[in-house]
Amino acid sequence: MRETKIKIGITMGDPAGIGPEVVAGALGRIEGNAGVGFVIYGDAAALKAAGWGTEAAARAEVIDFKNAAGVEIARATAAGGRASLDYIEAAVRDAVAGEIDA
């Protein structure tokens, strides 16, 4: 197995928005990994509901905050905004700590 050279962090955005679908779709379409690993900051249930499949799962680690329960798709709420902020803050902490490269 090839060692990962670069780790890229991706925040999924508001769990009620289009972000989970974009992340799931994009990672499901990448061919190979070219030494790149992905870390997704978000909610696993929201990603799964958006089409997260085995192709995406094979390319990324998901840090599951489990904070999208009760968030209604396509409806902006304070809970969705807080969840999104949680993902960003965690990704920034990991970047500063050197856990992810970008």
Side-chain angles (χ1 to χ4, degrees):
M1 186 156 99
R2 187 175 182 177
E3 186 177 320
T4 300
K5 296 177 184 173
I6 298 172
K7 270 187 159 179
I8 298 175
I10 301 171
T11 60
M12 79 170 202
D14 188 325
I18 194 170
E21 185 178 349
V22 170
V23 170
L27 287 178
R29 290 176 178 85
I30 294 174
E31 294 183 18
N33 72 2
V36 176
F38 298 95
V39 179
I40 310 305
Y41 297 83
D43 183 271
L47 287 166
K48 186 174 180 181
W52 186 262
T54 55
E55 299 84 12
R59 292 178 178 84
E61 167 191 356
V62 176
I63 298 178
D64 187 3
F65 288 74
K66 298 179 182 170
N67 61 357
V71 173
E72 187 179 330
I73 301 300
R75 182 178 169 141
T77 63
R82 278 191 301 276
S84 182
L85 181 60
D86 289 346
Y87 311 147
I88 293 168
E89 288 177 338
V92 169
R93 277 193 304 271
D94 285 355
V96 169
E99 297 294 322
I100 59 174
D101 300 298

